[in-house]
C-alpha cells in the first residue's frame, strides 16, 4: 500500500503539485488543525470500528482523476481508507504519521 512521508508531501505542495488531501478525522479535530486545502470527510470513528461503508458512501466527493492522500491522526486509520480507495480504483496513498507526523515536519519545535 502506498504512503507518502510528510516532508515529501510538504515539498510537493510547495512545488504546486496538489493531490486531493482527504482528511478522515472527526470534524472538530479537522477544524482545530488541518493541512491547507484538505477536504474533511469525518469517517475516522467508523473506519476505526470497521465500518468501511461510511467511506464508500462519500466516494462521490472524491475526484477519481487525482492522486488522493488520506490523512488521519497518526496514519493507522488512514491506511484503512487508502486500502478502500485503492480497491475502488483510486490512486491513493496514506500520509505516514498522520497529522502528528505532518505537524512535526511543518511546525518543528524550537530548539
Amino acid at each position: 500500500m502506498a504512503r507518502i512521508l510528510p516532508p515529501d508531501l510538504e515539498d510537493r505542495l510547495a512545488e504546486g503539485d496538489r493531490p486531493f488531501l482527504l482528511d478522515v478525522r472527526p470534524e472538530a479535530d479537522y477544524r482545530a488543525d488541518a493541512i491547507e486545502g484538505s477536504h474533511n470527510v469525518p469517517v475516522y470513528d467508523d473506519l476505526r470500528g470497521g465500518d468501511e461503508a461510511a467511506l464508500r458512501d462519500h466516494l462521490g466527493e472524491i475526484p477519481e482523476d487525482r492522486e488522493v492522500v488520506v490523512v488521519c491522526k497518526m496514519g493507522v486509520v488512514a491506511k484503512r481508507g487508502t486500502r478502500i480507495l485503492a480497491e475502488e480504483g483510486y490512486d491513493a496513498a496514506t500520509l505516514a504519521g498522520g497529522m502528528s507526523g505532518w505537524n512535526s515536519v511543518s511546525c518543528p519545535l524550537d530548539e
Side-chain angles (χ1 to χ4, degrees), residues 25 44 71-79 94-101:
R25 296 175 301 140
Y44 179 87
V71 180
C72 72
K73 295 176 182 183
M74 301 289 293
V76 176
V77 173
K79 287 180 187 177
T94 300
L95 177 61
M99 283 304 294
S100 294

Side-chain angles (χ1 to χ4, degrees), residues 34-86:
I35 301 171
E36 185 178 335
S38 63
H39 303 272
N40 185 227
V41 175
V43 295
Y44 179 87
D45 292 329
D46 298 310
L47 289 176
R48 191 168 161 230
D51 179 6
E52 296 183 1
L55 179 57
R56 292 181 199 279
D57 289 344
H58 290 275
L59 292 179
E61 301 172 38
I62 305 168
E64 297 178 36
D65 60 346
R66 290 171 63 190
E67 177 186 10
V68 179
V69 175
V70 185
V71 180
C72 72
K73 295 176 182 183
M74 301 289 293
V76 176
V77 173
K79 287 180 187 177
R80 292 180 186 167
T82 299
R83 180 185 50 76
I84 292 165
L85 292 173

Side-chain angles (χ1 to χ4, degrees), residues 19-30:
F20 186 83
L21 302 175
L22 178 66
D23 192 319
V24 298
R25 296 175 301 140
E27 187 175 350
D29 293 347
Y30 177 78

